[in-house]
Amino acid sequence: MAGRPRKKAAGSKKVKPSGPVPCAVLWGLDPSGEKGAAVRGVLREMGVVARTAGHERLGDPAGAFARLPGMRPAPVSYDGPDPACDEFILLCGLTNKQVDEFLARSREAGCVVGAKALLTKVNRTWPLVRLMQAVAVEHAANA
């Protein structure tokens, strides 16, 4: 019949992208070191992308590491002091179940990272170094 819309073939339905891929931003966890390699192995097994934060990128908004829409790296490289924590992990886009799984697998593999945070609506605009300092202060207060 002319003028009548045709049905789309099965499987041709447009699907919206689900958002940025879950990732973990790592600081102070050298990939060639035992702990850094173990953390990356746990993340890889879970299908989570590991991204290493270099000193020059510590001024970037935390959300830029997760590649959130509209989030861009800082226009100039960071030239301040290193954060107080020697190692840090920022988990981005993981479900609560995935976070629990990461923590459990890290314990099993003997590669627990002390300072860690989740990317939130509040902290996604913070420079990564500010987030790391806030977590370090919180850990010191709870120690």
Side-chain angles (χ1 to χ4, degrees):
M1 297 181 133
R4 202 168 164 196
R6 297 174 73 176
K7 286 188 175 182
K8 291 185 177 183
S12 66
K13 185 177 178 181
K14 286 189 178 181
V15 178
K16 286 185 178 181
S18 59
V21 174
C23 71
V25 181
L26 308 175
W27 165 261
L29 293 159
D30 187 344
S32 63
E34 188 175 325
K35 189 173 190 178
V39 168
R40 283 171 176 75
V42 168
L43 293 167
R44 188 173 33 260
E45 289 170 4
M46 293 178 60
V48 177
V49 174
R51 297 191 176 124
T52 302
H55 183 271
E56 70 282 353
R57 300 285 30 123
L58 291 178
D60 292 0
F65 287 96
R67 301 191 177 142
L68 295 178
M71 302 294 293
R72 301 271 186 258
V76 295
S77 294
Y78 176 77
D79 66 355
D82 279 350
C85 47
D86 293 334
E87 56 187 32
F88 176 81
I89 186 164
L90 174 63
L91 300 172
C92 310
L94 276 69
T95 64
N96 288 340
K97 183 178 177 182
Q98 288 173 309
V99 170
D100 291 342
E101 180 184 355
F102 171 74
L103 296 174
R105 285 182 176 215
S106 294
R107 279 190 300 273
E108 289 171 12
C111 59
V112 175
V113 177
K116 52 193 155 301
L118 299 175
L119 186 69
T120 67
K121 287 183 179 182
V122 172
N123 67 23
R124 67 183 177 186
T125 59
W126 294 8
L128 185 61
V129 70
R130 177 180 172 203
L131 177 55
M132 293 168 71
Q133 296 290 52
V135 170
V137 167
E138 185 179 320
H139 274 255
N142 292 330

